[in-house]
């Protein structure tokens, strides 16, 4: 007799296996949640998304909102029922359709396009040719040339502007004669100032970007591909056009994007070489509007620049297509056979040497020589002095300004600068390595793609607009009441060292992230998995496996950020206060006040610091700027 309590037989799946019990499903979901919240990648990606949203997306949205919000200074102009903060198209109409639109937007924008296109065309072509000569040919003295061609990257572009003015200016503009004018050679005004001068200086500076990117790409191309073309009877020009050029096209287009964006947003060079002849670019107009407290108009101009940069990036991606890498690059057993230049070796070596002399060493020599001139414009030996280096205050010389080494402010600014660049470079490089870890491990995940897109946004925003954005964001604190507690969402940081560090880190995150991604892509996931199986936690794996294997790449990324911040002016010019002044701002201020010798002294010191640090990093840590750029 069967008991009334029936035995519960587990239901059968069509496959014949018992179905999972309810508690098994719960355990499965519990394990999934546990793995999700304890997975280091998920935690890093979540933290990165939150922080990037706070420091990048929120300020950008606030900047866009400001362009549609009526400022207090403009309420009276509109009259009627106008009130502060109301929605308005006033600033967009002012910029796009008003009577001042041509002067404030269209003419400066045309000037910027002219400069950016010319600089990209000439600078990238020049850098690519030099990269090809040094990487793929048997050109002599490569060790010397390889160091010399990247020296312009170590000196701020606006310092080259001062050297250009020293050579080409005349008494008609600038008040004192330049070097050529001193020798009796009358230089035209268009050569000393304006678009020709700006393009020439920017080309001398930005060709280094193309050289670094293209040379890195060329080193990864297996020369067997070119040799096969030669065996099939193809000429060297045809091989260069049909094999080498397509393989390095992504690097060339990246150089064009980088150079174009930098040229469009640069402030220092157009300020030195354009404003004296009323030649405005979009960046100098942007600085002028923000300096005159027309912040809403300035942000409107910034949004237009961001849109242009975004279109530029979109076109670049379409031109490259979906190719992110080539199976023909960097294979096992690859080697590099140098192209024999033959009868062209000596002429090309002489041409490159002349370029190095005039584009690299001559600006440095001019800047250095001018620091020993008591009076500007007198190039005779009787005018030689050490006053601007070690002189004591003399009321007869520039209102008693001492030499920089006897100026307490100089040493204070040196400390400010070193503190800023070291702290910022370390934090930015560490963040870049972590972001690189997220990008490399999450390439096929939505979280990884989102982090990559967020970190790229600062690249689209002009430096001077980015500084203004942070000035607006941190000028006053923003608090909210939550459950009776007042919580500060955004602190008031204007005038502090912290805001300079923040803006410098966030602005340079695209480069730091690219360096970190390039670094992490070279480290096999298998090494980390083996350590995980052995019971090592993520901090242990990162400290004992990932970081030691990536230390050379870490130093390359560090040097890339160090050099960029050391010479940074556009980004921090609006955020500067007397207590937080840095060497670039000190040099810019001296130059704006007409004290050219002291400005040049500061510029030479900046260059020596960068060159010394780079030499040490390259000598002892095998640091390479091309590696920091992802080469």
């Amino acid at each position: 007799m069967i008991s009334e309590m029936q035995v519960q037989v587990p239901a059968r799946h069509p496959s014949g296996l018992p179905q999972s019990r309810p508690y098994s499903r719960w355990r499965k979901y519990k394990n999934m949640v546990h793995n999700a919240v304890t997975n280091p990648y998920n935690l890093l990606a979540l933290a990165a998304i939150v922080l990037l949203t706070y420091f990048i997306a929120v300020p950008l949205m606030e900047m866009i909102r400001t362009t549609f919000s009526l400022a207090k200074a403009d309420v009276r102009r509109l009259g009627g029922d106008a009130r502060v903060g109301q929605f308005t198209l006033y600033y967009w109409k002012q910029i796009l359709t008003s009577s001042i639109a041509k002067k404030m937007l269209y003419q400066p924008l045309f000037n910027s396009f002219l400069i950016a296109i010319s600089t990209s065309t000439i600078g990238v072509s020049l850098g690519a040719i030099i990269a090809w000569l040094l990487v793929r040919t048997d050109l002599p003295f490569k060790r010397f040339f390889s160091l010399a061609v990247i020296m312009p990257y170590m000196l701020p572009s606006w310092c080259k502007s001062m050297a250009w003015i020293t050579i080409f200016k005349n008494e008609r503009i600038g008040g004192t004669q330049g070097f050529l004018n001193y020798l009796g050679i009358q230089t035209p005004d268009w050569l000393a100032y304006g678009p020709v001068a700006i393009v020439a200086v920017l080309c001398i500076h930005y060709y280094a970007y193309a050289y670094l990117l293209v040379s890195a790409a060329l080193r990864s191309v297996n020369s067997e591909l070119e040799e096969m073309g030669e065996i099939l009877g193809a000429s060297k020009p045809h091989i260069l056009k049909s094999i080498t050029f397509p393989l390095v096209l992504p690097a060339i287009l990246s150089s064009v994007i980088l150079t174009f964006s930098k040229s469009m947003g640069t402030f220092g060079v157009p300020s030195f070489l354009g404003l004296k002849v009323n030649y405005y670019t979009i960046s100098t107009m942007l600085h002028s509007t923000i300096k005159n407290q027309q912040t809403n108009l300035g942000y409107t101009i910034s949004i237009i620049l961001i849109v242009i940069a975004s279109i530029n990036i979109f076109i670049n991606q379409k031109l490259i297509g979906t190719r992110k890498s080539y199976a023909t690059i960097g294979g096992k057993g690859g080697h590099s056979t140098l192209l024999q230049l033959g009868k062209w070796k000596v002429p090309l070596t002489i041409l490159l040497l002349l370029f190095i002399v005039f584009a690299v060493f001559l600006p440095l020599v001019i800047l250095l020589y001018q620091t020993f001139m008591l009076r500007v414009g007198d190039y005779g030996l009787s005018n030689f002095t050490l006053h601007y280096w070690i002189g004591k205050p003399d009321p007869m010389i520039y209102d008693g300004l001492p030499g920089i080494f006897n100026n307490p402010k100089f040493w204070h600014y040196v400390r400010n600068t070193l503190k800023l660049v070291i702290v910022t470079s370390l934090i930015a490089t560490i963040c870049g390595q972590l972001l690189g870890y997220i990008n490399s491990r999450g390439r096929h995940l939505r979280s990884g793609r989102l982090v990559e897109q967020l970190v790229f946004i600062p690249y689209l925003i002009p430096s001077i607009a980015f500084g203004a954005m942070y000035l607006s964001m941190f000028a006053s604190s923003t608090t909210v009441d939550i459950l009776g507690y007042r919580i500060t969402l955004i602190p008031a940081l204007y005038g502090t060292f912290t805001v300079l560090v923040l803006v410098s880190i966030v602005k340079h995150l695209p480069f730091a992230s690219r360096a970190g991604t390039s670094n992490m892509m070279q480290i096999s996931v298998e090494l980390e998995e083996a350590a995980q199986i052995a019971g090592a936690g993520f901090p242990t794996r990162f400290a004992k496996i990932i970081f030691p294997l990536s230390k050379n790449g870490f130093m390359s990324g560090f040097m890339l950020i160090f050099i960029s911040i050391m010479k940074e002016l556009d980004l921090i010019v609006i955020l500067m206060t007397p207590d937080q002044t840095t060497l670039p701002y000190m040099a810019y201020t001296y130059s704006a006040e007409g004290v050219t010798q002291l400005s040049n002294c500061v510029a030479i010191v900046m260059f020596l610091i960068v060159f010394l640090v780079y030499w040490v990093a390259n000598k002892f840590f095998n640091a390479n700027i091309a590696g920091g750029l992802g080469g």
Side-chain angles (χ1 to χ4, degrees):
M1 183 177 180
I2 301 175
S3 171
E4 293 182 1
M5 293 183 61
Q6 298 294 324
V7 177
Q8 297 294 323
V9 179
R12 293 275 175 176
H13 191 269
S15 64
L17 297 176
Q19 288 186 352
S20 300
R21 296 175 182 267
Y23 76 89
S24 297
R25 288 201 192 99
W26 168 248
R27 180 177 295 175
K28 176 183 176 181
Y29 295 141
K30 181 180 178 181
N31 289 337
M32 289 176 59
V33 173
H34 179 267
N35 291 334
V37 298
T38 57
N39 188 318
Y41 169 82
N42 292 336
L43 296 176
L44 284 175
L46 178 61
I49 291 171
V50 171
L51 291 175
L52 291 174
T53 300
Y54 179 79
F55 287 113
I56 297 176
V58 170
L60 180 60
M61 292 300 104
E62 178 63 20
M63 184 169 70
I64 295 174
R65 187 195 66 79
T66 303
T67 65
F68 295 102
S69 179
L70 188 63
K72 182 178 180 180
D74 299 312
V75 171
R76 184 176 299 177
R77 294 182 185 178
L78 295 182
D81 298 329
R83 63 186 185 280
V84 177
Q86 76 176 41
F87 178 83
T88 181
L89 295 175
Y90 173 73
Y91 303 106
W92 286 96
K93 291 178 180 178
Q94 284 282 94
I95 287 295
L96 297 175
T97 61
S98 72
S99 58
I100 64 172
K102 180 179 179 181
K103 181 180 179 180
M104 290 199 67
L105 177 64
Y106 295 116
Q107 188 60 52
L109 189 60
F110 173 81
N111 294 341
S112 293
F113 268 119
L114 177 65
I115 290 169
I117 293 173
S118 302
T119 303
S120 300
T121 303
I122 300 171
V124 172
S125 301
L126 186 61
I129 291 172
I130 295 174
W132 180 77
L133 286 173
L134 294 183
V135 175
R136 307 300 288 175
T137 73
D138 63 339
L139 194 79
F141 313 116
K142 286 188 178 181
R143 190 177 183 86
F144 163 75
F145 285 132
S146 296
L147 178 61
V149 294
I150 65 172
M151 288 175 64
Y153 181 74
M154 302 180 185
L155 194 67
S157 57
W158 46 269
C159 290
K160 301 180 185 71
S161 301
M162 295 189 292
W164 183 275
I165 293 173
T166 300
I167 297 174
F168 293 105
K169 72 178 178 179
N170 52 54
E171 294 177 346
R172 294 186 298 275
I173 302 177
T176 57
Q177 58 185 351
F179 182 70
L180 293 179
N181 204 220
Y182 174 79
L183 297 177
I185 302 174
Q186 296 297 320
T187 56
D189 296 342
W190 59 264
L191 186 59
Y193 297 93
V196 173
I198 295 172
V199 170
V201 170
L202 290 179
C203 286
I204 292 173
H205 183 73
Y206 287 131
Y207 84 88
Y209 287 124
Y211 165 77
L212 290 169
L213 288 169
V214 176
S215 62
L218 284 170
R219 287 189 183 96
S220 66
V221 176
N222 192 335
S223 64
E224 290 178 352
L225 299 169
E226 298 164 319
E227 291 170 7
M228 290 172 63
E230 194 170 2
I231 291 172
L232 293 173
S235 63
K236 286 183 173 62
H238 185 71
I239 292 172
L240 188 64
K241 174 185 175 183
S242 302
I243 299 177
T244 308
F245 179 76
L247 290 175
V248 298
L249 180 61
I252 292 175
L253 290 176
S254 295
S255 305
V256 171
I257 295 300
L258 182 63
T259 305
F260 185 91
S261 300
K262 289 282 187 180
S263 301
M264 282 290 293
T266 188
F267 165 73
V269 175
S271 174
F272 279 105
L273 298 177
L275 294 184
K276 287 188 177 180
V277 292
N278 293 321
Y279 187 84
Y280 280 87
T281 63
I282 199 72
S283 59
T284 53
M285 181 57 68
L286 174 60
H287 177 263
S288 177
T289 55
I290 294 177
K291 187 178 179 180
N292 293 329
Q293 298 184 345
Q294 296 175 298
T295 307
N296 301 62
L297 285 176
Y299 284 172
T300 307
I301 297 174
S302 299
I303 298 300
I304 294 172
L305 274 176
I306 294 171
V307 171
I308 293 172
S310 302
I311 294 172
N312 195 19
I313 298 295
F314 176 78
I315 293 173
N316 174 60
Q317 292 176 338
K318 287 297 182 182
L319 289 175
I320 295 178
T322 57
R323 296 179 300 175
K324 298 297 182 183
S325 61
Y326 297 85
T328 53
I329 296 178
K332 291 184 178 179
H335 69 283
S336 179
T337 302
L338 299 179
L339 177 69
Q340 302 297 315
L341 291 175
K343 63 180 181 179
W344 291 100
K345 180 184 289 187
V346 174
L348 288 174
T349 303
I350 294 174
L351 282 175
L352 184 57
L353 184 61
L354 289 174
F355 173 78
I356 295 297
V357 169
F358 285 101
V360 179
F361 293 126
L362 186 59
L364 282 172
V365 170
I366 290 172
L367 291 176
L368 180 61
Y369 183 75
Q370 201 166 35
T371 64
F372 301 113
M373 294 169 54
L374 182 62
R375 296 175 301 278
V376 176
D378 184 355
Y379 295 88
L381 294 179
S382 60
N383 194 40
F384 186 89
T385 182
L386 293 174
H387 172 80
Y388 299 103
W389 289 101
I390 59 175
K392 295 182 179 180
D394 185 342
M396 301 299 295
I397 303 176
Y398 286 119
D399 298 325
L401 289 174
I404 61 170
F405 292 151
N406 272 326
N407 189 344
K409 289 184 177 180
F410 170 77
W411 295 111
H412 177 64
Y413 299 159
V414 168
R415 289 192 293 271
N416 284 349
T417 305
L418 292 178
K419 183 171 67 171
L420 177 65
V421 297
I422 292 174
V423 171
T424 303
S425 300
L426 278 174
I427 297 176
T429 307
I430 293 172
C431 292
Q433 298 299 307
L434 294 173
L435 290 169
Y437 180 87
I438 296 171
N439 292 338
S440 62
R441 302 300 189 258
R443 299 180 72 188
H444 306 296
L445 301 176
R446 290 181 180 178
S447 56
R449 292 194 296 269
L450 178 59
V451 169
E452 190 174 11
Q453 291 167 357
L454 283 172
V455 81
F456 190 72
I457 293 176
Y459 180 81
L460 302 175
I461 305 176
S463 293
I464 193 167
F466 202 84
M469 190 170 72
Y470 266 61
L471 172 63
S472 175
M473 180 177 179
F474 293 105
S476 58
S477 61
T478 301
T479 60
V480 294
D481 288 324
I482 300 179
L483 300 176
Y485 294 95
R486 182 166 290 275
I487 298 176
T488 300
L489 293 180
I490 301 176
L493 297 177
Y494 176 67
T496 66
F497 177 73
T498 303
V499 73
L500 296 180
V501 172
L502 276 178
V503 72
S504 299
I505 291 173
V506 178
K507 178 59 180 174
H508 291 89
L509 276 182
F511 286 118
S513 174
R514 176 168 183 168
T517 302
S518 176
N519 208 5
M520 294 298 167
M521 290 294 292
Q522 300 175 32
I523 302 174
S524 175
V525 181
E526 295 173 355
L527 298 173
E528 191 178 356
E529 290 175 346
Q532 188 175 6
I533 293 173
F538 177 74
T540 303
R541 299 197 302 269
F542 198 90
K544 294 188 176 181
I545 296 178
I546 297 175
F547 182 75
L549 292 174
S550 64
K551 62 181 180 181
N552 289 341
F554 182 91
M555 285 304 302
S556 298
F558 176 86
M559 281 309 307
L560 178 69
I561 307 301
F562 183 94
I563 294 173
S564 298
I565 298 175
M566 185 71 195
K567 60 186 184 179
E568 185 63 70
L569 175 65
D570 300 6
L571 181 65
I572 59 177
V573 66
I574 292 178
L575 296 169
M576 279 291 98
T577 60
D579 289 338
Q580 304 299 336
T581 296
T582 59
L583 290 179
Y585 189 76
M586 184 184 191
Y588 175 76
T589 303
Y590 274 144
S591 180
E593 294 173 352
V595 194
T596 307
Q597 298 95 321
L598 289 176
S599 179
N600 291 351
C601 286
V602 177
I604 293 295
V605 170
M606 289 165 50
F607 170 77
L608 291 176
I609 292 173
V610 170
F611 186 82
L612 179 62
V613 172
Y614 179 74
W615 181 83
V616 170
N618 181 262
K619 182 77 173 177
F620 297 102
F621 299 97
N622 198 30
N624 182 9
I625 299 177
L629 283 170

